């Protein structure tokens, strides 16, 4: 919650650092030739050239992996997706190229300022270099060149986007569209409800299985035994004498000093983004709330209802325990001046008007040995636990190599965990490890009888012995009965729902759109979603935007069938609620920002297209279609 009270400048630095870090990552694959991969000069690896800079196959493949987060490209989308990735890589590089060609400059001082604005930009040189190399897999030179190129790109976009104008008419139209609400009456056809009513017999399921055996193959699975050395469990076995605990406590007293602190709660009425003319009204509301509190009103309930601090309002304004230095000065001074149960006057900060109550107060003190003993034990054990873990893991592996298949006995002897894995498939969770990718990949690549090296999985060390590989085979009913039932029920429910939708459609046509009569004949019910906006949620349906036709067509118009998350909706608008135009002024700034962003996005796309088209015409962009075709073919066959 304390983000609200920390120094504004510090918050801005952190936000900027996060944004620029993301920018650096996003630009990695197409602004730095060969970034993240060795530089490739072979012509059969060059997808395109912008000026003299190549866009290579490894760069494009890295961008594909980043975009998909290592998931496979769906076969039906390969011919669409891969060319789009290539075109975007070319377009981004072309924009940066054009900015430099037009004379935009980013000086060394500009670059230095940009680097310093990063969270890690003020690290000592060695630490800065290590951070960049580890986090971005590139040299400092490439990373800083990356930032320079992004700055060129943003300069060109800024010039093109200047002068975006939003008219009052556009603002009012957008406000009306965002705030108009409708009340909607509807019939819902839901296959999942029909699924619950189906009770297939074993005979029906077996008949379905025999007719669809090809749908239920058993893929290769693997069995293994694991010996797991858990840091937390090993730490508990390390004895620490009381004399050592006492000695540690005596030599680290400063560490166990607790500063003065208070347990407080508050109500915030925000003035962020408000005009000077609005602030007196907000202050008057704060004064009224204070008056209610002085008269005995429940602080928590008033905070929950009125506070505009998103971090604490739902908790009755509770901030928990706070110490000096966590809050802005005005808030801190007022808080620490209060006595327990005392309520402040209205306090003004850069964030707005606050009313504060201190629930408890605690003076600075030294925590007792008993209070901090668990921390001391953890600290002392951490000094030796990793050596102990490695020793146990080394011993376990050595014994397993000598006596394969005896993992259970070895684990019991050493006091560590034994885990048996059966029918493992890629992506399956592993007992005690969860979905640990490294161990899962290892299980998928080992040969039968192989014993792995010691692997780390979080705070655990793992040794794996692959005991068997179960080859793929046609599934038998007993192996896939659950899947057979699920498929059968889903198929039957889907067919029943389709028939129901057909019947409802015919009834509505024949009876002039009478929802009540149709629902009765079809064995369904009529439901009502109370007033909702396009951006709101329609009760029982989902996002209001899925019913955009209901907002745009005249009242009484039959809407549907509309398919929403597998369900089918038929309905009509019961009533409309016009927007409260008196609140337009409050939302004007945010609406202007939204419209500007939409227009800017359109201009940016036009700018990008015009730059790319111009450079192609000038011969500055050359695409190597044969390389692109081979790349697409490789993904099509993978």
């Amino acid at each position: 919650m304390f983000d609200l009270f920390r120094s504004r400048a510090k918050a801005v630095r952190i936000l900027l650092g996060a944004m620029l870090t993301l920018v650096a990552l996003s630009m990695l694959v197409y602004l730095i030739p060969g970034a993240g991969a060795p530089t490739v000069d072979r012509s059969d690896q060059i997808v395109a050239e912008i000026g003299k800079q190549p866009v290579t196959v490894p760069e494009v493949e890295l961008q594909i992996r980043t975009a998909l987060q290592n998931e496979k490209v769906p076969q039906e989308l390969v011919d669409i997706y891969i060319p789009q990735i290539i075109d975007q890589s070319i377009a981004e590089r072309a924009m940066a190229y054009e900015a430099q060609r037009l004379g935009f400059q980013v000086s060394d001082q500009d670059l230095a300022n940009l680097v310093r604005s990063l969270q890690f930009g003020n690290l000592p040189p060695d630490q800065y270099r290590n951070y960049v190399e580890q986090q971005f897999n590139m040299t400092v030179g490439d990373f800083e060149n990356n930032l320079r190129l992004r700055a060129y790109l943003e300069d060109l976009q800024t010039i093109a986007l200047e002068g975006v104008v939003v008219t009052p008419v556009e603002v009012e139209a957008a406000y009306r569209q965002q705030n108009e609400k409708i009340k909607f009456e509807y019939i819902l056809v839901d296959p999942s409800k029909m699924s619950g009513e189906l009770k297939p017999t074993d005979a029906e399921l077996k008949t379905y299985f025999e007719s669809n055996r090809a749908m239920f193959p058993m893929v290769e699975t693997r069995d293994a035994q694991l010996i797991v050395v858990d840091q937390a469990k090993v730490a508990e076995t390390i004895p620490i004498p009381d004399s050592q605990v006492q000695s540690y406590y005596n030599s680290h007293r400063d560490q166990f000093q607790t500063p003065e602190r208070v347990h407080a709660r508050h109500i915030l009425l925000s003035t962020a983004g408000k005009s000077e003319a609005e602030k007196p009204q907000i202050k008057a509301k704060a004064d009224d709330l204070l008056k209610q509190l002085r008269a005995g009103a429940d602080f928590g309930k008033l905070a929950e209802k009125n506070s505009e601090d998103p971090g604490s309002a739902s908790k009755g304004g509770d901030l928990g325990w706070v110490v000096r230095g966590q809050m802005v000065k005005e808030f801190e001074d007022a808080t620490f001046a209060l006595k327990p149960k005392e309520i402040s006057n209205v306090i003004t900060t850069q964030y707005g008007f606050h009313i504060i109550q201190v629930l408890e107060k605690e003076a600075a003190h030294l925590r007792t040995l008993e209070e901090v003993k668990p921390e001391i034990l953890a600290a002392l054990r951490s000094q030796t636990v990793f050596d102990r873990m490695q020793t146990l893991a080394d011993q376990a592996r050595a014994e397993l190599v000598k006596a394969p298949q005896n993992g259970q006995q070895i684990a019991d002897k050493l006091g560590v965990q034994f885990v048996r894995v059966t029918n493992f498939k890629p992506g399956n969770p592993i007992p005690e490890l969860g979905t640990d990718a490294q161990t899962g990949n290892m299980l998928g690549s080992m040969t039968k009888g192989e014993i792995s090296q010691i692997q780390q999985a979080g705070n655990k060390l793992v040794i794996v012995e692959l005991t068997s590989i179960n080859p793929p085979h046609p599934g038998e009913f007993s192996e896939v009965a659950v899947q057979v039932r699920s498929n059968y029920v889903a198929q039957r429910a889907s067919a029943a729902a389709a028939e129901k939708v057909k019947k409802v459609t015919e009834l509505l046509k024949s009876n002039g759109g009478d929802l009540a009569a149709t629902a009765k004949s079809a064995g369904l019910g009529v439901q009502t979603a109370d007033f909702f906006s396009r951006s709101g949620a329609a009760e029982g349906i989902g996002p209001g935007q899925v019913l955009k036709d209901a907002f745009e067509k005249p009242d009484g118009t039959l809407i549907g069938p509309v398919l929403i998350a597998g369900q089918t909706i038929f309905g009509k608008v019961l009533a409309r609620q016009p927007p409260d135009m008196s609140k337009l002024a409050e939302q004007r700034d945010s609406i202007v920002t939204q419209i500007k962003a939409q227009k800017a996005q359109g201009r940016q796309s036009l700018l990008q297209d015009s730059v790319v088209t111009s450079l192609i015409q000038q011969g500055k962009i050359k695409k190597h279609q044969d390389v692109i075709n081979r790349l697409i073919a490789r993904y099509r066959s993978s």
Side-chain angles (χ1 to χ4, degrees):
M1 136 70 211
F2 287 112
D3 286 344
L4 177 64
F5 300 115
R6 292 193 180 104
S7 158
R8 183 187 300 270
K10 181 178 179 184
V12 169
R13 287 199 305 273
I14 293 172
L15 178 60
L16 180 60
M19 291 172 65
L20 287 173
T21 299
L22 289 174
V23 164
L25 283 170
S26 68
M27 298 297 288
L28 165 63
V29 293
Y30 48 87
L31 285 185
I32 301 298
T39 301
V40 179
D41 292 326
R42 292 169 51 204
S43 60
D44 64 349
Q45 290 289 296
I46 298 176
V47 172
E49 296 168 82
I50 294 89
K52 295 182 179 180
Q53 296 180 351
V55 178
T56 67
V57 169
E59 289 170 26
V60 173
E61 289 186 317
L62 180 57
Q63 189 171 356
I64 293 170
R65 289 196 300 273
T66 302
L68 291 176
Q69 295 182 336
N70 295 323
E71 294 181 10
K72 190 175 180 181
V73 181
Q75 285 296 307
E76 64 274 16
L77 296 180
V78 166
D79 291 321
I80 298 172
Y81 193 85
I82 305 302
Q84 286 182 348
I85 289 286
I86 294 168
D87 288 344
Q88 186 60 29
S89 298
I90 293 171
E92 293 282 0
R93 183 85 65 79
M95 290 282 283
Y97 173 84
E98 182 69 4
Q100 295 174 75
R101 207 165 68 116
L102 291 174
F104 289 97
Q105 293 186 354
V106 178
S107 68
D108 290 343
Q109 186 59 50
D110 292 334
L111 179 62
N113 292 337
L114 190 57
V115 170
R116 277 196 294 270
S117 69
L118 301 173
Q119 269 185 291
F120 54 88
N122 291 310
L123 291 173
D126 288 346
Q127 294 180 33
Y128 170 65
R129 184 184 67 254
N130 291 337
Y131 185 92
V132 168
E133 291 173 352
Q134 292 172 12
Q135 294 296 317
F136 306 117
N137 191 29
M138 63 172 72
T139 66
V140 168
D142 282 345
F143 175 76
E144 292 181 354
N145 189 40
N146 186 351
L147 293 182
R148 190 189 295 272
L149 287 172
R150 168 53 76 171
Y152 282 128
L153 180 59
E154 290 179 346
D155 282 343
L156 189 60
Q157 291 173 341
T158 298
I159 295 298
L161 300 178
E162 284 181 352
V164 173
V165 175
V166 178
T167 68
V169 172
E170 290 174 312
V171 173
E172 182 174 334
Y175 175 80
R176 288 183 181 277
Q177 186 182 66
Q178 291 176 16
N179 292 278
E180 178 189 21
K181 294 183 178 181
I182 61 171
K183 190 174 185 178
F184 195 71
E185 182 181 48
Y186 64 95
I187 296 172
L188 174 68
V189 181
D190 186 354
S192 66
K193 290 184 178 179
M194 298 178 180
S195 297
E197 298 168 0
L198 294 173
K199 307 293 180 186
T201 64
D202 284 347
E204 289 174 321
L205 293 176
K206 287 179 181 178
T207 300
Y208 175 76
F209 169 71
E210 292 298 336
S211 302
N212 298 277
R213 273 182 171 268
M215 293 172 56
F216 305 101
M218 295 296 291
V219 300
E220 177 186 281
T221 61
R222 293 173 170 237
D223 301 336
Q225 59 177 5
L226 277 60
I227 296 178
V228 179
V229 183
D230 187 317
Q231 177 184 334
K233 293 181 179 179
V234 171
E236 291 173 359
T237 67
I238 299 174
I240 304 292
D242 288 344
S243 58
Q244 191 175 354
V245 173
Q246 182 69 60
S247 176
Y248 188 96
Y249 179 74
N250 292 340
S251 60
H252 293 79
R253 284 178 176 269
D254 289 347
Q255 179 180 326
F256 304 121
Q257 290 284 351
T258 298
E260 178 187 14
R261 62 178 188 163
V262 294
H263 180 193
R265 57 184 177 180
H266 82 138
I267 297 171
L268 167 66
L269 300 184
S270 175
T271 56
K274 302 295 194 315
S275 67
E276 290 300 319
E278 294 174 281
K279 291 181 181 179
Q281 297 177 352
I282 301 171
K283 174 64 162 59
K285 181 179 178 180
D287 290 336
D288 181 63
L289 290 174
L290 179 60
K291 185 177 179 180
Q292 294 180 50
L293 291 169
R294 301 278 194 225
D298 186 294
F299 194 109
K301 290 181 179 178
L302 282 185
E304 194 170 335
K305 183 178 179 181
N306 297 281
S307 182
E308 295 174 310
D309 173 12
S312 68
S314 62
K315 299 181 288 186
D318 197 338
L319 301 174
W321 287 96
V322 298
V323 298
R324 294 184 186 277
Q326 289 183 291
M327 301 160 286
V328 292
K329 187 176 187 305
E330 302 91 342
F331 192 96
E332 179 179 289
D333 290 345
T335 302
F336 279 88
L338 294 172
K339 298 175 183 177
K341 309 304 180 186
E342 187 178 1
I343 296 175
S344 72
N345 293 320
V346 175
I347 306 300
T348 305
T349 74
Q350 66 200 63
Y351 301 102
F353 300 107
H354 309 255
I355 303 171
I356 309 163
Q357 183 182 35
V358 166
L359 301 174
E360 304 171 77
K361 200 165 188 176
E362 198 174 81
H365 66 282
L366 175 67
R367 287 187 288 164
T368 66
L369 176 60
E370 288 307 311
E371 287 179 289
V372 300
K373 188 173 183 179
E375 297 175 36
I376 295 175
L377 288 172
L380 291 172
R381 284 169 173 159
S382 70
Q383 297 172 3
T384 57
V385 67
F386 300 112
D387 289 341
R388 176 64 177 154
M389 287 174 67
Q390 190 64 54
T391 299
L392 287 169
D394 288 340
Q395 188 174 348
R397 186 179 187 282
E399 294 193 19
L400 191 61
V401 170
K402 292 179 182 177
Q405 303 285 339
N406 288 345
Q408 178 77 69
Q409 296 91 323
I410 294 168
D412 291 345
K413 172 187 170 183
L414 297 176
V416 294
Q417 288 178 281
F418 175 79
V419 175
R420 193 176 297 281
V421 178
T422 58
N423 294 321
F424 173 81
K425 293 181 288 187
N428 280 8
I430 302 170
E432 299 299 327
L433 303 182
T435 52
D436 181 69
Q438 184 173 342
T439 306
N441 292 338
M442 187 164 57
L443 275 167
S445 62
M446 293 172 67
T447 57
K448 182 180 176 180
E450 182 180 355
I451 296 171
S452 75
Q453 296 298 322
I454 298 167
Q455 302 290 329
Q456 184 169 352
N459 292 327
K460 301 174 182 180
L461 297 179
V462 183
I463 304 105
V464 179
E465 179 183 358
L466 191 70
T467 54
S468 65
I469 298 175
N470 310 310
H473 62 277
E476 294 301 325
F477 181 76
S478 59
E479 296 176 297
V480 295
V482 173
Q483 186 181 352
V484 169
R485 188 184 192 287
S486 176
N487 284 24
Y488 177 80
V489 168
Q491 192 177 97
R492 287 282 305 276
S494 179
E499 283 298 315
K500 189 77 75 173
V501 168
K502 182 179 178 182
K503 182 176 182 180
V504 169
T505 302
E506 292 171 350
L507 286 169
L508 288 170
K509 284 182 180 178
S510 64
N511 66 21
D514 188 328
L515 290 175
T518 298
K520 185 175 181 180
S521 298
L524 299 169
V526 178
Q527 302 177 56
T528 301
D530 208 355
F531 288 104
F532 61 92
S533 65
R534 286 175 172 85
S535 59
E539 183 180 357
I541 298 175
Q545 62 187 1
V546 300
L547 295 172
K548 62 180 182 179
D549 282 354
F551 287 92
E552 296 167 1
K553 293 184 177 179
D555 291 359
T557 303
L558 183 65
I559 304 299
V562 178
L563 187 63
I564 305 171
Q567 304 174 122
T568 304
I569 302 285
F570 299 84
K572 292 180 179 180
V573 174
L574 281 179
R576 288 183 189 272
Q577 189 178 88
D580 181 355
M581 299 306 293
S582 68
K583 295 184 178 180
L584 172 58
E586 296 178 16
Q587 299 184 28
R588 185 181 302 279
D589 289 345
S590 63
I591 291 174
V592 169
T593 300
Q594 291 170 16
I595 297 174
K596 278 189 174 182
Q598 292 166 2
K599 290 187 174 186
Q601 187 173 7
R603 284 194 179 191
Q604 185 170 325
S605 296
L606 289 172
L607 169 66
Q608 184 170 285
D609 290 345
S610 66
V611 167
V612 171
T613 300
S614 175
L615 290 177
I616 290 175
Q617 291 172 349
Q618 297 171 41
K620 299 296 183 182
I621 294 180
K622 298 178 183 178
K623 293 174 69 173
H624 296 259
Q625 195 60 47
D626 57 333
V627 178
I628 294 172
N629 291 341
R630 285 197 298 272
L631 180 60
I632 294 173
R634 189 158 76 244
Y635 275 90
R636 194 185 293 129
S637 62
S638 64

